[in-house]
């Protein structure tokens, strides 16, 4: 669905131009290590990916052997995908077509031994918030506990013993049909163990999200799954270092950032924010962006003085994973569906904390005291005047 | 002073390999804009730089014209440099040699109309904290208000009407000869308008800084100079998002990050953290790192199990500037002295806040409340268990 002019990937741009020691230097400075520690992928997976037109890549983040703790190696998968049907089709058809596509990628992930799998923001629908229309898009909203997407994934959770993070539009019937932007966490036995609702909501360009849902009230939960302690920072929350911080304080070892963001607005920020969070908080971050462009039935404007149009910009994919030491994988494609697998030894989180000491030296008492003052209406800024 | 194997710059690695539309795409995704908005440099400046063996580069960050506010264009300069004399020379000689080198770069900056000039961390001395020896290194510590470095710079401040940020080792005679890592701010009339003491102190590898000085107690001051509201986040403070946040809350439009950091430890983090801070807080950040390697008279160890040695790793320079919209300049050299000039319209800060809304949506009340709980000794983390 991408325009012909879109390049396939940032990483390949460089890979095609550099080689030998120069490529190693680029890799060392940019990605954090001279080679990517790529893992082999089974032939059956590669064939499945080729047949179904998605990319698969896998990388390793090992940790040092410790004397007292055993290593804790998990395989995390993240999926980026475009929508399937055109947005004027009945919404159940649209959703079902996405389910069918995703099913094939889940099978590939299971074949590669993935333990935890996360999708992009609102993975089961087009990103229709550009339209400001409530109908039919609000009909995609569903119960976190037993909506169609949760039901769809529970089956695979049981079948493959896999943990799923499912970012959906949630309808909260218990509270006046409030709509939330929510990530549902389904454990390896198919049980919904909890959910997190997006804490920070954009009001920028085509991202009229405050029109649809409110700031989350679930705090900063960390889900203690069979495979590690995980949390979810949904999309725009990646711009907020305090949001990342609190997930770290609560013990997260992996924080997923399911997103939907477009070229022109954010592409030069994409490689920075989740990676910075991994560094600052000594945990793994997994950045997932949808891919392709999406066209809507009716015209909308983008709040930028330009004429009305029907097409969202280009969702540039480029999903990637960062380790607590700041090393990262190459990104997935800018234009195609993909499955990125990161094998990680979670012991690396504490090893990096012990080495760098960022969390130990962060002086939270100082900042708690400062923020208490800052939020008061009569806060006087600490400004030293020239005279 | 750099080893022969060091590449000259990350940016040139790519510039030499890509061209045309591919280079533009790289630039757009990596730096945030297809071309660098390089500014012309006077022939007299170029000649001075050539003669004295330093690099000069200048870039522009314009803002949109507004109806009510006039544009507020300032020229900021940052200087990276290696030490001059060997570290076994008398310390006054070592310092004086650095003064002589810096004088020539200051003159070049003045020739280019720079308004605010900032140096690297402890710019007037070798970065001797690797040694854990107190003598003679503590003798470099000086009064912020009238020490030799402040006196040296006041003269140029008056002569050129320039604001200086001078990161030094401070000796605080009023308080038991406490040593601090301090940035002194000298205004365009040669007056010391204040100082900031480093808030976060590393204890990692050769950075035995907690051996020499304590965590700063000056809060997060913003200095309201003739040319804009500025703040200083010294070196290791760049790893702490809350440190960056408070400077933003107090109104900083430009935050300088004078640093000293080496390849192997942090080079893959260098392009991430200050840039993330610019994005998260909608201000300009100026990242300055020293350059070259430094050899000390006596052996020291690096706390990494390796044999004792006399040489610090390679300080990789690569100083750069980021705008509030996340666009950045190329870095200075990894191996040579340099002066980087950024012309910036400070109106861009508020324009980006109005567009993205990161500061408006950051929910500081939520985090003040959370941190109050977090810092209590009996804090219970928000962990949702699988059972």
């Amino acid at each position: 669905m991408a325009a012909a002019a879109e390049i396939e990937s940032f990483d390949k741009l460089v890979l095609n131009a550099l080689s030998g020691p120069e490529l190693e230097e680029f890799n060392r400075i940019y990605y954090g290590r001279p080679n990517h520690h790529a893992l082999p992928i089974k032939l059956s997976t590669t064939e499945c990916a080729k047949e179904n037109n998605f990319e698969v890549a896998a990388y390793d983040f090992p940790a040092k052997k410790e004397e007292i703790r055993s290593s804790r190696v998990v395989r995390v998968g993240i999926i980026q995908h475009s929508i399937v049907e055109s947005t004027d089709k009945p919404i159940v058809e649209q959703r079902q077509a996405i389910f069918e596509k995703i099913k094939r990628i889940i099978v590939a992930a299971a074949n590669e031994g993935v333990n935890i799998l996360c999708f992009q923001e609102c993975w089961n629908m087009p990103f229709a918030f550009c339209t400001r229309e409530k109908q039919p898009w609000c009909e995609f909203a569903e119960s976190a506990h037993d909506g169609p997407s949760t039901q769809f994934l529970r089956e695979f959770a049981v079948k493959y013993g896999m943990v799923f993070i499912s970012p959906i539009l949630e309808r909260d019937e218990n509270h006046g049909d409030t709509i939330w932007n929510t990530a549902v966490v389904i454990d390896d036995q198919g049980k919904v163990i909890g959910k997190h609702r997006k804490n920070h909501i954009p009001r920028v360009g085509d991202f009229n999200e405050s029109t649809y849902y409110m700031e989350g009230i679930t705090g900063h939960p960390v889900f203690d799954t069979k495979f590690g302690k995980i949390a979810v920072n949904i999309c725009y929350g990646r711009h907020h270092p305090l949001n990342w911080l609190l997930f770290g304080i609560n013990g997260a070892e992996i924080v997923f950032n399911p997103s939907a963001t477009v070229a022109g607005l954010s592409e030069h920020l994409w490689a920075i924010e989740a990676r910075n969070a991994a560094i600052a908080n000594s945990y793994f971050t997994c950045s997932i962006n949808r891919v392709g462009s999406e066209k809507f039935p009716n015209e909308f404007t983008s709040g930028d003085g330009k004429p009305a149009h029907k097409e969202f910009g280009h969702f540039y994919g480029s999903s990637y994973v960062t380790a607590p030491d700041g090393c990262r994988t190459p990104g997935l494609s800018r234009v195609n569906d993909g499955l990125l697998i990161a094998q990680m030894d979670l012991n690396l989180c504490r090893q990096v904390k012990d080495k760098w000491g960022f969390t130990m030296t962060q002086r939270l008492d100082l900042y708690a005291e400062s923020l208490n003052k800052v939020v008061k209406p009569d806060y006087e800024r600490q400004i030293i005047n020239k005279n």
Side-chain angles (χ1 to χ4, degrees), chain A residues 58 77 97 106 115 143 145 147 152 190 198-199 236 287 309 341 344 353:
Chain A
I106 293 173
N115 306 118
S143 156
H145 284 264
F152 168 74
K198 188 171 179 175
N199 275 329
Y236 187 77
S287 310
H309 51 98
I341 298 166
M344 43 182 80
K353 281 180 190 164

Side-chain angles (χ1 to χ4, degrees), chain A residues 223-281:
Chain A
F223 303 95
D224 187 11
T225 73
K226 181 176 172 189
F227 306 110
K229 293 194 180 70
I230 64 176
V232 197
N233 179 345
I234 305 173
C235 197
Y236 187 77
R238 75 183 177 280
H239 306 301
H240 292 90
L242 280 161
N243 200 29
W244 292 107
L245 174 76
L246 264 287
F247 292 120
I249 286 172
N250 286 334
E253 297 170 305
I254 311 168
V255 182
F256 295 88
N257 178 228
S259 298
T261 183
V262 289
L265 195 62
S266 70
E267 194 163 3
H268 62 296
L269 316 182
W270 181 246
I272 304 299
E273 295 162 299
R275 193 172 181 191
N276 188 76
I279 297 163
N281 301 290

Side-chain angles (χ1 to χ4, degrees), chain A residues 27 44 65 72 92 95 98 144 160 197 223 269 297 300 307 309 313 336 341:
Chain A
N27 286 349
S44 51
K65 214 173 137 47
R72 293 182 298 137
V92 174
R95 183 169 60 207
I98 295 173
Y160 297 124
R197 291 169 177 159
F223 303 95
L269 316 182
F300 58 91
H309 51 98
N336 292 321
I341 298 166

Side-chain angles (χ1 to χ4, degrees), chain A residues 309-322:
Chain A
H309 51 98
K310 293 184 173 183
E311 197 139 348
F312 221 122
H314 174 65
F315 293 104
Y316 52 78
S318 307
S319 303
Y320 70 101
V321 172
T322 305

Side-chain angles (χ1 to χ4, degrees), chain A residues 121 181 197-202 209 213 215-216 234-236:
Chain A
E121 186 184 25
N181 185 317
R197 291 169 177 159
K198 188 171 179 175
N199 275 329
H200 301 271
I201 312 287
E209 299 177 43
Y213 36 83
E215 274 75 10
I234 305 173
C235 197
Y236 187 77

